[in-house]
Amino acid sequence: QQEESTPAAGPAEISVPEEEDTPFQAVFLPLEDLDSAPTLAAGYDGVVLPMKTADGALGYVSALSLAADIGASSGDPNRNEALRALNDTEGLYTVAQVSCLRDTALVQADPSLALHRVSGSAWLDSDRQGWLDPTQAQVQDYLTGVCQELARLGFDEILLTDCAFPTQGDLDSLGKYPQKEKALETFCRQLQGALADYEVTLSVVGLGDSVWCMILPVLVGQ
């Protein structure tokens, strides 16, 4: 099932099995705990931070004009410096979680970029969150820009969630979007290429009941 991507308060343990005998264990931290992240991550392999949530808010200060226009950029002038310092912590693997196509702020600012209802209005899921259309060039450019900025901040990995067409909510009212699988794969391959000059791993988490479900861990900075 599609899970709520907005993080709950407080740290949460995440275990991602890479091999049967060597699971990767990370702690999920809300940004309120950023200053204490090295201490809270003690004993874990890494830390996961929400860098773009389902409402469109960014967890860092973005230089993208669109992020400023829609009010998505963090208002903390010290945030980027704190993130760089954390990402430079020796022995700590850092993951930037990005709610990819779920972005209410951008949908509200420009409904033409949204997935639409049959009636033509922006489609909203059961949590009243809007979803972006991955075939739109402006959507692709914005999400690519966000991921490139996160790579420059020094994250070891960018983890895309909500990188699928909706699978819950009033799906009968959702407009018809042919070749969903191709559209998503094309977008992710374009993003992979855009990150080719950065030492970062790009991971995409697909949904079990979506038309497109894959885990794509690719080290794109070699």
Side-chain angles (χ1 to χ4, degrees), residues 199-222:
E199 292 288 343
V200 67
T201 297
L202 176 65
S203 296
V204 183
V205 179
L207 303 178
D209 53 353
S210 72
V211 298
W212 186 76
C213 177
M214 63 183 293
I215 304 293
L216 176 66
V218 182
L219 182 60
V220 295
Q222 295 186 344

Side-chain angles (χ1 to χ4, degrees), residues 133-195:
D133 181 353
T135 66
Q136 297 270 3
Q138 191 172 2
V139 169
Q140 296 168 4
D141 290 345
Y142 178 66
L143 294 174
T144 296
V146 167
C147 290
Q148 287 178 327
E149 288 186 325
L150 292 171
R152 287 194 289 269
L153 284 172
F155 282 95
D156 295 302
E157 181 173 340
I158 298 171
L159 176 64
L160 301 183
T161 61
D162 302 318
C163 190
F165 283 79
T167 60
Q168 293 185 354
D170 185 11
L171 299 180
D172 290 338
S173 68
L174 182 64
K176 303 301 180 183
Y177 291 89
Q179 297 184 316
K180 295 179 180 178
E181 181 177 351
K182 182 179 179 180
L184 290 167
E185 184 173 357
T186 298
F187 163 69
C188 288
R189 295 301 179 186
Q190 289 176 345
L191 181 56
Q192 177 186 352
L195 293 173

Side-chain angles (χ1 to χ4, degrees), residues 22-43:
T22 59
F24 173 82
Q25 293 195 349
V27 59
F28 187 99
L29 297 178
L31 293 174
E32 290 79 4
D33 292 332
L34 181 59
D35 292 341
S36 304
T39 300
L40 294 172

Side-chain angles (χ1 to χ4, degrees), residues 16-98:
V16 183
E18 294 179 334
E19 299 178 9
E20 184 176 352
D21 297 330
T22 59
F24 173 82
Q25 293 195 349
V27 59
F28 187 99
L29 297 178
L31 293 174
E32 290 79 4
D33 292 332
L34 181 59
D35 292 341
S36 304
T39 300
L40 294 172
Y44 295 94
D45 300 309
V47 60
V48 182
L49 296 172
M51 288 291 102
K52 180 177 179 293
T53 54
D55 58 6
L58 301 177
Y60 69 99
V61 180
S62 174
L64 299 174
S65 58
L66 185 53
D69 292 343
I70 65 177
S73 184
S74 171
D76 183 352
N78 300 316
R79 178 61 57 77
N80 289 11
E81 182 179 352
L83 289 170
R84 288 191 184 96
L86 179 66
N87 290 333
D88 288 339
T89 302
E90 185 175 357
L92 182 65
Y93 190 85
T94 57
V95 181
Q97 179 177 308
V98 173

Side-chain angles (χ1 to χ4, degrees), residues 2 101-104 106-108 110-133 164-177 180 207:
Q2 181 175 297
L101 296 176
R102 211 173 178 210
D103 191 322
T104 300
L106 188 50
V107 166
Q108 290 179 342
D110 190 347
S112 70
L113 301 179
L115 294 179
H116 290 93
R117 296 167 57 88
V118 175
S119 63
S121 61
W123 186 88
L124 302 178
D125 62 23
S126 56
D127 294 319
R128 308 299 296 171
Q129 302 282 16
W131 288 69
L132 300 173
D133 181 353
F165 283 79
T167 60
Q168 293 185 354
D170 185 11
L171 299 180
D172 290 338
S173 68
L174 182 64
K176 303 301 180 183
Y177 291 89
K180 295 179 180 178
L207 303 178

